[in-house]
Amino acid sequence: MKVEVKIASVDHDGRVYLGWTPVEVTARVVDGPGDGRTVAVTLRNAGTGGQLDISLSRTMQGAPNLDVDLPGDGSPLRFWLAGRFGRPSAAFGDAVLQVVERASGTVLGTTPAMVRIRKDANALTDEERDRFLVAFGTLNGRGTGRFKEFRDMHVGGRPLEESHGNMGFLPWHRTYLLDLERELQDIDPTVALPYWRFDTAAPRVFSHGFMGLPDPNGRVRFTPGHPLEFWTTDGQVGIVRAMTNFRPDDAPSGLMGERDTLGLGDDYVDFAVMEGDPHGLAHTRFGGPIRSPPTAPRDPLFFLLHANVDRLWAKWQWFYDRLGDADPAAYASGGPYRVGHNLSDTMWPWNGVTTAPRPSTAPGGTLAASTLVTAPGPSPSVRAMLDYKGAGGGPHQGFDYDDVPFWRDPAVA
Amino acid sequence: MAPDGFREAYADALDNRPRERPRPALAALARRPSDAGGAFQSADPAQPRIAGAGPDPMKQQIAILSDATRPVAEREEALATLQAAAFMGPKFNPYRAAYRSALRQVAIDADAHLRAQALESLALDKDDYARSLLLDGLEGRRDPLVPKAKAVQLLAHDDHGAALSVAHRVLDEADDPQAQQEAVRVLASDPGSGSRLLGLYRDRGATAELRVASATALHALDPGLFEPEARRIVEDDDEDPDVRASSLGALAVIPRYASTRNDPAFVGKVEEIRNSAADGPLKTSTDRYLSERSE
Amino acid sequence: MEAELSTAIARIDAIRKRPELRDELVALLCERSTIYRGLTAGQAERLRGYVLASFRATGTPAAAMPFVVEELESGADAYAVAGAAKALLGSRDLPSGVRDLLVTAADRIAASDEYVDHDRFGIGGASGSRSAHAEILEAIVAIDRRSHERPGSCCATRPPTIGPAPTVQTPFGNCCDGPGVSQASGPPENGTSIPNAVLQDQSGNRLGAHEFFIGRASVVTFFYTRCMNPEKCSTTITKLGVLQNKLGKAAIGNQVGVAALTYDPQYDLPERLFRYGRERGMIFDERNKLLRSVEAFGEIEAFFQLGVGFGQATVNRHRIELFVLDKGGRIARSFLRAQWESDDVFEAVEKVA
C-alpha cells in the first residue's frame, strides 16, 4: 500500500514548488484496503530546510502535521499545502511532505518540494547566490529575452510612458520582473529573483563574487570565472556602476527607508509617490547606466533594485489590506489615465498592441509562461497584477517575498 | 518568523519612530496628475506645459545644479534629485530641455566629480556636445575633463558615435592600461576588429585584465572566434590561471558553448584541472563547468 | 570630413539667403550624400535638422515634403524634428494630416527635448532659446492661425504632394533621382533585375539573390539590428510580421517571398538576425527570411539606391524603404520614407504575384 500525492504546482520535471499561498493537493491510497474502509494517516512536514503547513481549508494557519483518514478505495482526499512563512527553502528537496500511516508509522508517500521565495540578496547562501548568477549569466548569454529589447522597451518617449510617470509604474514593473524570473526559472527552476534592500547595508551583494565591485572608473570587476563576467547588453560589453554615494559595506544614504515608504499613506495614490523617493533615488546612488532610465536595465542590479521596489509594494498591499481590485484605495481610483495605466488596461509590450498611443513596436512577445500557475496570463492587465498571491481566492502568480506573508495576521485583520 | 503577531509588531515599529518624508521636489512631481492622453494632450498648445503657481521645485533643482557658487554637495544632491525625477518619464518631460542645458553647463564645471557625473548623464543620452567635449579632451584641443579611461568609456555608450577610432588609437598608444581595457570593449561592436581582439586575448605579454576584457569583447563580437581560443587557453597549463578561469567561466555558462561538453578530450582536461588545481577561481570554474547541465 | 562639413554648412548658409537655390538643399537630405560619410548619428541628425530648418527661410519645395513628413512621422532627434516643423511653415501647400503629424512628433520627442537654435549650426541652444518641443507647438499654432485666416490654405484633404526630387548637382554628390521615381530618392521601377549577390539567411544558409527573388513576387525591406530608432527598424520588422500573417491567410501567400536585408551585414550575423526577427513576430521558412549580404553589399545598395549613410562604426542614418519586386526580380513598387501600411503593400504585391 502506498499513497499517491498530486500537487498542481510542478515544473517540467514534475518537481513541486510552493510559496506562501496554499495550493490544492490530493492524496489517494493505492493498493489500499478497499471500499468502506479508511487508512488513518498523518500528513507530515518532514523537511530539513523549507517548512510546510498543511490544512483542510485554504488558510495561512495550517499546521506541520495533519491527521486524516484516506478512503481505502482510492478516492482522493483534498487538502491544502503552503510554505510556512519565515521558513523558505534554500534548495530543492529540503522541504518534504510525508504521508505516514498512524498505526504502523510506515511512510506511505514522500514528496520532495521547494518553498521557492524571493529573498534578501544579502542573505542568500553561497549556493543560492551561485544558482541565481549562473541562471542570469546563462539567460544573458542566450542573447534573447529581456536583454535584447531594452533598446526598444526602455527608450524615451512612448515606451517609457508605458512604464513610468503614471499609475501603472508598479504593476508594469511587477510584470517585467515576473517575465524575467520565469525566464530564469526555465533555466533553473530553483531560482527566485532576490531583492536588494537599498535602505540597508548589503556587503555580500556588493562584492566581487556577487554583483561585483567597481574600479576607479566605475568598471565592475568580478572574481575570474564569475557567471556575469561576460555580461553583454545592447551591444555593450561588461557593466559600469560606480559607487558614488556609499561604500560597499554601508547602506546608501539620502533615500527613504522601508517603513517610511510604507508610511506614505494607505491609499495607492499616496504610496505611488515612492516612484521618485526611494525608487528614483535608489537608481541615482550609483554612477553608470543604472542612473538613467533608457539604460538602467543594462545593469543586472536593476532587477534586484526593482525586486525591492516590488517587495515594498507587496508589503504595503499586505499591511494595509489593499490587494483586492474592488477596493478603491488598492489602486488609483481616479482617472482615466493614459492607456496602459487604468485598472482594466492590458500592458505593453506583452499585449502586442502597436497602434498609437502605444509604441509602434512590441518586441519580446507575451509574458513568459510558468508550469506552476496560469496567472496572470500571457497578456496581463493592470488589474491582474494586484492580487499576485491569490489572497482573494483567485489564482496566484508563483512568487512571494520572504517578509510578506500570504495574508494578514488573523489576530490583527 | 512566526506569522502570529507579525503585522502587529510591524505596525508598532511603523508608528513609533520619527517619520522621514520623501524629498519635496520628487514628491511634488510624483503627485502631479498623470494625464489621460499622454503627451498627445500635453502637446496641445493651449495647455501650459508646467502648470501651477509658485516656485517650481524642479526648476529650483535645475537652478541649484547650475549655480557654481553653491556648495558642490548641494549641487550633487540636486543632480541626483533631477536624475531620480527623470525616472518619472512623462512627468519630467517639461524640464528636459532646461535639464540638458544645465548638464551641458556643468560638464565643464570646475569640480571634477560633478563634471564627470554631468558628462556621464549626457553620454548615456548620446549627447553630441558631450561627445565633442570628450573628443576634444582626448585629442588635445582642450584640457581633458575626465581621465582618459573614463572618456573612452563614456564615448562607448554611443555605438553610433565616434568611439571606434578613439579606441584603436588608445590601443596603439598603449600608455594607459585602464584606458586600453575600456578601448577593447569598444571593439566589440566593430566587425573589423575580430583579429585585433583575438591577438590581444592570446597575448601573454598583456595583463590578465586586458586579455579578459578582450575575451569578453571577442565573445560578444564573434563567438566563433572566441570559442576555439578559449578552449586552447583552458587546456594550456602554462597559461595565466585567471585568464583560464574566465575563459572556462564563459564556456560553462553561455549556452552556445555547451557543445564543448560533447568533446570528451576537453571535458577530461577540465576534470584533470579540477583535480590538480588549488582552491581558487580556476577550480571554481572547473566545478561550474562540470556541473552545469547543457541546454 | 570636418572640412567637408564646414564647406557644406557655409553653402547652406549661403542658400538661406538665395532661395532660388533651395533645390540644392533637398539633395543634401539624401542619406547617400557624401556629406554624411563618417559622421556620427548625432552629427548626421543635426545636419539634417539644420537643412530642414533652412526651408523656413527659402520656402519649402514640394520635393522636400517627403523628407519633412518622414522626419515628423518617425524622426527621433529633437533638433531634426523641430527643423522639420520649421520646414513645414516654409510650405504654402501643406499636405493633409500635418497637424496630427506635428502633435505626434511633439509627443515623440518630448522625452529627448532640448533647446534648439536653427539660426546657426552648432550644438544646443542657450537656456534662453526655445526648446524643440516648443518649436513644434509654435508650428501647430501657426498652422492653426493660417487655417483660420485663410481657410483652405492648409491641411487639404488630398494626400501630400510628393513629386520626384530634382536632379541637382552639388559638391556633395547627386543622390536624388531622375525620371521614373515614384517617390523621392527611389530607384527606377521596372528596370533591371536584382543582382545575384551571395546572401545568408537567419539560419546561416547561403543562397543567391536570384534563388530567392526570381521566379516569384517578393517584398523586400531594409533594416539593421543596432538601429536606435524604434519607429524605424523595430517597427519595420514588426510590420513585416503582420504582413506575413496577412499573406499567409491569402491565396497568393505561397507565391510571395518576404525578406528584409540588413544594412549592417558584417555585424548582423545570422544569430542576430534570427533573434531580432523572432522577437518581433517574424515567421521563418523558405519564403520568409532575414538576410545579410555575405559580400558585395554595395551592389545591393546601388541597385535599390538605398537611402542609407554610414558613420565610422555603423549606419548613421537611413530612411524607411520597402520594395515590391516582380517575378523577374525587378522593382515594381517602392514605399519610401513614409511609414508603409501592410494593406498597401499587400495590394501592390498582389498585382505582380
Side-chain angles (χ1 to χ4, degrees), chain A residues 49-403:
Chain A
Q51 299 294 295
L52 304 174
D53 282 334
I54 308 153
S55 60
L56 288 171
S57 61
R58 193 172 186 268
T59 172
M60 66 178 283
Q61 290 186 297
N65 297 302
L66 183 69
D67 291 342
V68 294
D69 293 334
L70 297 176
D73 63 356
S75 302
L77 174 90
R78 191 176 76 153
F79 62 99
W80 299 83
L81 189 65
R84 183 183 306 159
F85 181 65
R87 298 297 301 274
S89 292
F92 182 83
D94 71 359
V96 177
L97 175 68
Q98 273 188 349
V99 185
V100 181
E101 189 177 32
R102 287 211 295 278
S104 64
T106 307
V107 175
L108 299 177
T110 299
T111 306
M114 180 177 194
V115 182
R116 191 179 66 189
I117 299 293
R118 293 181 183 176
K119 297 178 180 177
D120 183 344
N122 200 54
L124 295 183
T125 66
D126 288 353
E127 278 185 25
E128 287 175 305
R129 177 201 63 194
D130 288 348
R131 286 202 307 269
F132 166 67
L133 291 173
V134 168
F136 217 3
T138 301
L139 182 63
N140 180 258
R142 280 178 176 171
T144 58
R146 295 282 74 86
F147 296 105
K148 182 64 192 79
E149 300 88 41
F150 291 152
R151 187 165 254 173
D152 297 336
M153 278 184 83
H154 246 258
V155 294
R158 286 190 204 160
L160 209 62
E161 289 182 23
E162 295 289 327
S163 53
H164 293 79
N166 214 319
M167 289 301 163
F169 164 72
L170 289 165
W172 191 93
H173 283 86
R174 175 168 284 175
T175 315
Y176 193 56
L177 294 181
L178 185 59
D179 204 356
L180 176 91
E181 184 178 63
R182 288 179 173 185
E183 292 193 53
L184 294 174
Q185 288 166 349
D186 190 49
I187 294 164
D188 183 347
T190 70
V191 167
L193 187 61
Y195 58 87
W196 167 49
R197 274 202 65 162
F198 40 66
D199 58 345
T200 60
R204 283 172 53 79
V205 173
F206 298 105
S207 65
H208 289 113
F210 200 161
M211 282 289 117
L213 283 173
D215 71 9
N217 294 306
R219 175 65 60 188
V220 170
R221 306 287 180 183
F222 294 108
T223 309
H226 188 286
L228 307 187
E229 198 174 18
F230 282 65
W231 187 263
T232 304
T233 52
D234 207 13
Q236 304 278 330
V237 175
I239 300 159
V240 175
R241 184 199 314 127
M243 298 187 74
T244 53
N245 173 269
F246 65 105
R247 292 181 311 182
D249 50 355
D250 288 338
S253 62
L255 45 70
M256 286 211 300
E258 173 181 317
R259 291 172 198 276
D260 293 321
T261 305
L262 262 68
L264 282 166
D266 66 352
D267 190 305
Y268 181 87
V269 173
D270 295 319
F271 179 70
V273 167
M274 63 96 81
E275 186 181 359
D277 183 0
H279 156 256
L281 284 174
H283 278 277
T284 67
R285 300 302 88 182
F286 305 94
I290 198 170
R291 200 168 169 139
S292 175
T295 54
R298 276 194 213 157
D299 188 336
L301 184 67
F302 170 93
F303 294 94
L304 280 66
L305 184 161
H306 264 281
N308 194 47
V309 170
D310 189 59
R311 180 188 68 88
L312 289 168
W313 182 31
K315 204 158 187 177
W316 178 88
Q317 291 181 297
W318 160 78
F319 186 76
Y320 293 108
D321 193 7
R322 295 276 188 249
L323 273 165
D325 60 81
D327 176 354
Y331 191 69
S333 54
Y337 302 100
R338 185 187 193 279
V339 66
H341 295 268
N342 300 287
L343 209 46
S344 300
D345 295 343
T346 55
M347 290 181 285
W348 176 94
W350 302 283
N351 61 7
V353 177
T354 55
T355 48
R358 303 282 194 169
S360 57
T361 177
T366 53
L367 179 68
S370 164
T371 59
L372 269 56
V373 291
T374 55
S379 177
S381 64
V382 171
R383 183 193 309 278
M385 300 314 293
L386 299 191
D387 186 5
Y388 69 94
K389 292 188 287 196
H396 70 101
Q397 295 176 7
F399 72 93
D400 270 302
Y401 292 97
D402 59 359
D403 65 345

Side-chain angles (χ1 to χ4, degrees), chain B residues 210-221:
Chain B
L210 183 62
R211 295 181 67 192
V212 171
S214 304
T216 59
L218 186 61
H219 151 72
L221 178 66

Side-chain angles (χ1 to χ4, degrees), chain C residues 153-173:
Chain C
S153 66
C154 152
C155 315
T157 51
R158 59 189 167 70
T161 305
I162 300 176
T167 302
V168 179
Q169 292 295 340
T170 80
F172 315 105

Side-chain angles (χ1 to χ4, degrees), chain A residues 85 138 142 164-166 217 219 221 225 229 236-237 258-260 270 277 288 291 319 336 338 409 412, chain B residues 1 5 7 10 13-14 20 23 34 36 83 87-88 117 120 150 153 156 181-182 246 253 288 295:
Chain A
F85 181 65
T138 301
R142 280 178 176 171
H164 293 79
N166 214 319
N217 294 306
R219 175 65 60 188
R221 306 287 180 183
E229 198 174 18
Q236 304 278 330
V237 175
E258 173 181 317
R259 291 172 198 276
D260 293 321
D270 295 319
D277 183 0
R291 200 168 169 139
F319 186 76
R338 185 187 193 279
D409 182 342
V412 178
Chain B
M1 198 183 324
R7 184 184 179 279
Y10 197 82
L14 199 63
E20 193 178 317
R23 288 195 189 186
S34 308
Q83 287 174 319
F87 277 89
M88 284 186 262
Q117 290 182 65
E120 181 167 75
K150 193 70 186 175
Q153 183 190 91
Q181 288 178 42
E182 293 299 334
S246 295
V253 167
R288 184 166 293 138
E295 284 195 87

